[in-house]
Amino acid sequence: MDKHKTKKISDLKIPKFSEIDLSEFDEYESSIDFTNPKEVKKRLVEHFIAGEHDTFFEIVSLYLDHVGKTKVSKEAKIPQRTIYNFIKGEHKTSSENVFKVMKFISAQVIKYAK
């Protein structure tokens, strides 16, 4: 007989999220309000001008993930694969796509202002 039996997932006692005590942990709050595209755009421009390109792309990826890949892809006319690459940190993309993303964010600023 095999000593190492495969266990069924139904046999495992995995606690539900509501059963886990997280009171000892600090609640994380981002320093950027991703619901406010004007603030996101401002931060992106600041980091781009300062030459902090890694931070720039990190903020871009967080915002794209917040807004949703499908929405960004459709409205910015960028393939979803490119959006996934931004989010995964594989932002080796053309400057044209970076400009499309920034144009998308600028359009979000206008929508948010209304």
Side-chain angles (χ1 to χ4, degrees), residues 22-34 43 58-59 62:
L22 300 174
S23 62
E24 297 294 318
F25 294 92
D26 292 333
E27 198 168 313
Y28 174 77
E29 286 189 37
S30 175
S31 60
I32 300 174
D33 177 8
F34 288 104
R43 296 283 184 102
E58 188 174 321
I59 294 169
L62 289 169

Side-chain angles (χ1 to χ4, degrees), residues 59-84:
I59 294 169
V60 167
S61 68
L62 289 169
Y63 186 68
L64 296 179
D65 194 39
H66 171 78
V67 172
K69 299 168 263 317
T70 304
K71 179 178 180 171
V72 176
S73 177
K74 185 186 287 185
E75 291 185 27
K77 296 182 174 77
I78 298 174
Q80 276 197 358
R81 174 58 34 211
T82 301
I83 304 300
Y84 284 110

Side-chain angles (χ1 to χ4, degrees), residues 38-51:
K38 185 176 182 178
E39 181 182 343
V40 173
K41 181 181 174 185
K42 178 181 172 229
R43 296 283 184 102
L44 285 171
V45 170
E46 287 171 359
H47 289 290
F48 188 82
I49 290 171

Side-chain angles (χ1 to χ4, degrees), residues 1 6 8 12 19-20 37 48 50 52-53 57 61 75 90 99 113:
M1 270 210 173
T6 303
K8 295 179 184 175
L12 298 175
E19 298 171 347
I20 300 172
F48 188 82
E52 298 167 352
H53 300 115
F57 281 112
S61 68
E75 291 185 27
E90 299 170 2
F99 289 126

